[in-house]
Amino acid sequence: MKTLARLTRDDIRSLEIAVNKAACARQAMRPNAIPPYAPAQAVDKYFREALFAYADAEYLQDYFWRDMAGKYGVKQTSLQVNFNTNELFIAE
């Protein structure tokens, strides 16, 4: 494990928000997230919005990792964050 940097509070907050949004959207996409008696049109709209929310969250996460990889000149897939220490590191 090689530490690249201690991330700023803004960097950590951006990643935390994206991760939280993705987790919430995944929960919203569960089949039992909406009552079975809900009108079909409402169900369709609900799941469409949940899917868009998930896509947005995934984009935010991908953007964060691309930005960090570019900033430190490393492969995006090897990066990880320690949220306890706010350190960005390469998993070896």
Side-chain angles (χ1 to χ4, degrees):
M1 196 166 69
K2 177 183 175 188
T3 301
L4 294 175
R6 182 172 296 267
L7 296 177
T8 66
R9 183 162 171 71
D10 286 341
D11 286 337
I12 290 294
R13 180 119 171 96
S14 294
L15 182 57
E16 286 175 335
I17 289 170
V19 168
N20 188 47
K21 283 182 178 225
C24 290
R26 275 193 301 276
Q27 289 176 14
M29 290 190 305
R30 291 175 305 142
N32 63 349
I34 195 162
Y37 53 82
Q41 185 178 5
V43 172
D44 184 53
K45 183 176 180 177
Y46 174 86
F47 283 111
R48 187 176 319 124
E49 292 299 322
L51 190 60
F52 283 130
Y54 183 73
D56 287 344
E58 285 291 308
Y59 173 81
L60 291 173
Q61 288 182 68
D62 288 344
Y63 181 84
F64 174 86
W65 292 117
R66 274 193 315 272
D67 186 45
M68 291 296 117
K71 187 175 186 177
Y72 295 103
V74 296
K75 289 183 181 179
Q76 181 176 336
T77 56
S78 62
L79 292 175
Q80 294 183 6
V81 170
N82 180 330
F83 285 100
N84 293 323
T85 63
N86 295 349
E87 290 177 324
L88 177 69
F89 63 92
I90 296 176
E92 299 176 316

